[in-house]
């Protein structure tokens, strides 16, 4: 991102110069700007119409992400056309077509699944509407179909989760039986969080994934699938690796109802670092959550404005994140933004 902001400063400086030459009353503040203010001093950015095709409202993460995008677009003075796909690909294709028909200036797109969007993305390209991938990537060879992908490194998140477990169980003799709650089938975070986790545990032959099934990133499904895991493997389960916190929270309920202690009898690993996970950790019911930061609305608006101003922007922009354990939960809970 540093490169982008450097480029932006140069652009702002040039714009200030043009203003001065044409004897416009520019403030001449030197074009100072930062990552959070999309309309830095001296920048005359037009009002844009931005179409945002969101995945759904399946998790706390998603709600926070939607708010962050909505606020950033509004704060920058642009107009938002928002569409919630309710986790269905066909809804997203319809939404994208409707944005194209309405001739929006830019499309922000969080694809439910990785494949099957070539045709509609080609239609956007033919209509000369730039598409910005947010949060989830697509698995499409022709990368000219989108401008950039802004999102987290899900493989790395999977690795972080597994590395925590390797350390946590370093003194354990015998098998570590893991059950896995996967995210939405075919989605980038489900595919990558599984891959990263497996990459690390494959070097530890005592670590075994004994059951793995999708819970579609929701609490209700997480609970339902955990109930089934407990029914068949009950006392055998040492660890739950859940691809998001919401499913983990659903599973915690199932474990309690089954009569075991989540966080103790069964270690719980989640991803996202939402408030619900911090509450569960503070109550001693969840052990760790790997952060996946949804608050990238301002970063996305900056990218859109930079691209439309003719700046070169990187094809891949990563969101920065960390990892939190049970002992940090109480202290950090009051300051969590999502
Ligand atoms: O982890 C999950 C949500 O795509 C990163 O989707 C996102 C994931 C997030 O439903 O909670």
């Amino acid at each position: 991102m540093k490169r982008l902001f450097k480029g932006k400063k140069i652009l702002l400086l040039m714009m200030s110069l043009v203003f001065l030459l044409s004897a416009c009353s520019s403030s001449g503040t030197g074009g100072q700007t930062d990552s959070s203010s999309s309309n830095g001093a001296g920048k005359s950015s037009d009002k844009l119409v931005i179409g945002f095709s969101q995945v759904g409202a399946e998790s706390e993460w998603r709600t926070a992400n939607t708010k962050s995008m909505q606020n950033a677009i509004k704060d920058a003075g642009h107009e938002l056309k928002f569409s919630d796909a309710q986790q269905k690909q066909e809804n997203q294709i319809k939404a994208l077509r409707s944005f194209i028909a309405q001739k929006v200036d830019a499309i922000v797109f969080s694809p439910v699944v990785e494949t099957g969007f070539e045709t509609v993305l080609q239609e956007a390209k033919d209509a000369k509407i730039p598409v910005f991938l947010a949060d989830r990537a697509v698995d499409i060879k022709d990368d000219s179909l989108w401008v950039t992908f802004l999102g987290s490194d899900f493989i790395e998140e999977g690795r972080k989760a597994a590395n925590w477990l390797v350390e946590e169980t370093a003194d354990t003799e015998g098998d570590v039986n893991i059950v896995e709650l996967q995210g939405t089938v075919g989605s980038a975070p489900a595919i990558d969080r599984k891959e990263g986790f497996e990459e690390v545990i494959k070097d530890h032959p005592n670590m075994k994934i004994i059951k793995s099934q999708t819970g579609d990133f929701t609490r209700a499904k997480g609970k339902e699938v955990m109930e089934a895991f407990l029914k068949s493997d009950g006392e055998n389960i040492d660890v739950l690796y859940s691809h998001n916190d919401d499913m983990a929270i659903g599973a915690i309920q199932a474990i309690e109802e089954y009569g075991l202690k989540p966080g103790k009898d069964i270690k719980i690993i989640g991803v996202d670092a939402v408030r619900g996970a911090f509450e569960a950790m503070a109550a001693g019911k969840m052990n760790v959550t790997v952060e996946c930061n949804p608050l990238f609305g301002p970063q996305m608006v900056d990218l859109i404005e930079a691209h439309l101003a003719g700046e070169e922007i990187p094809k891949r922009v990563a969101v920065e994140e960390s990892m939190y354990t049970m002992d940090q939960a109480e202290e950090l809970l009051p300051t969590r933004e999502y």
Side-chain angles (χ1 to χ4, degrees):
M1 284 308 288
K2 280 222 177 83
R3 245 187 347 144
L4 170 67
F5 293 126
K6 218 175 173 186
K8 202 165 179 179
K9 273 187 190 159
I10 292 170
L11 184 89
L12 287 166
L13 235 105
M14 280 166 60
M15 287 173 82
S16 308
L17 253 165
V18 171
F19 280 141
L20 277 172
L21 285 174
S22 60
C24 270
S25 60
S26 167
S27 67
T29 50
Q32 283 290 320
T33 186
D34 71 336
S35 62
S36 59
S37 80
S38 313
N39 288 327
K43 181 169 181 181
S44 70
S45 84
D46 293 333
K47 180 175 172 164
L48 303 171
V49 179
I50 300 171
F52 176 28
S53 170
Q54 176 62 295
V55 167
E58 74 283 2
S59 62
E60 278 188 50
W61 188 99
R62 188 66 54 197
T63 316
N65 179 248
T66 298
K67 255 197 218 138
S68 171
M69 286 293 308
Q70 283 170 336
N71 289 342
I73 289 171
K74 197 177 103 217
D75 292 350
H78 303 311
E79 184 187 332
L80 169 68
K81 293 190 182 295
F82 180 76
S83 175
D84 173 340
Q86 297 178 316
Q87 301 209 80
K88 292 205 176 72
Q89 179 164 40
E90 70 254 34
N91 292 346
Q92 282 205 297
I93 294 175
K94 263 190 223 149
L96 294 176
R97 292 215 162 108
S98 131
F99 294 152
I100 297 168
Q102 294 175 72
K103 299 190 169 55
V104 297
D105 298 305
I107 291 175
V108 177
F109 176 36
S110 300
V112 180
V113 290
E114 285 190 336
T115 56
F117 289 109
E118 278 92 342
T119 311
V120 72
L121 290 180
Q122 185 63 51
E123 287 165 22
K125 189 182 171 188
D126 294 344
K128 300 198 168 46
I129 300 175
V131 173
F132 296 78
L133 295 177
D135 158 36
R136 296 184 182 179
V138 285
D139 185 7
I140 293 175
K141 272 199 207 89
D142 181 3
D143 70 0
S144 76
L145 295 182
W146 68 91
V147 176
T148 186
F149 165 45
L150 169 64
S152 304
D153 183 341
F154 300 137
I155 299 184
E156 186 54 26
E157 289 169 358
R159 287 191 199 113
K160 280 184 192 165
N163 281 324
W164 177 85
L165 186 60
V166 168
E167 244 178 66
E168 180 71 11
T169 56
D171 300 328
T172 312
E173 278 173 27
D175 287 348
V176 176
N177 291 328
I178 305 160
V179 294
E180 180 182 32
L181 279 170
Q182 294 183 38
T184 302
V185 175
S187 70
I191 294 166
D192 293 353
R193 284 172 187 165
K194 184 168 187 54
E195 186 184 322
F197 190 83
E198 283 177 349
E199 180 193 302
V200 172
I201 66 160
K202 79 170 182 326
D203 295 330
H204 302 268
N206 65 324
M207 294 198 172
K208 298 193 167 87
I209 299 181
I210 56 167
K211 283 266 149 61
S212 181
Q213 212 177 299
T214 181
D216 211 14
F217 282 131
T218 68
R219 284 187 192 204
K221 284 255 179 69
K223 179 166 189 263
E224 198 181 299
V225 176
M226 191 68 206
E227 278 165 1
F229 287 165
L230 288 161
K231 216 170 182 186
S232 63
D233 289 281
E235 319 288 317
N236 250 337
I237 304 170
D238 300 309
V239 178
L240 164 67
Y241 169 45
S242 174
H243 289 188
N244 82 344
D245 291 335
D246 281 77
M247 293 189 293
I249 291 162
I252 285 171
Q253 255 187 47
I255 295 167
E256 286 182 321
E257 283 170 22
Y258 185 81
L260 291 175
K261 286 200 168 62
K264 294 188 184 71
D265 299 327
I266 298 179
K267 303 243 188 264
I268 315 282
I269 308 171
V271 183
D272 279 352
V274 296
R275 286 190 75 84
F278 278 80
E279 281 156 12
M281 289 195 296
K285 297 178 181 182
M286 184 163 169
N287 303 79
V288 65
T289 182
V290 178
E291 185 175 41
C292 181
N293 184 1
L295 307 179
F296 54 69
Q299 221 178 333
M300 180 54 94
V301 171
D302 277 343
L303 288 167
I304 295 170
E305 290 179 348
H307 174 76
L308 292 176
E311 277 181 52
E312 195 63 36
I313 64 171
K315 206 73 199 167
R316 173 78 173 98
V317 181
V319 178
E320 273 184 26
E321 42 223 9
S322 176
M323 187 161 93
Y324 306 100
T325 50
M326 206 186 247
D327 48 309
Q328 301 169 286
E330 215 158 330
E331 191 193 328
L332 293 176
L333 188 52
T335 56
R336 288 306 289 170
E337 283 183 65
Y338 65 96

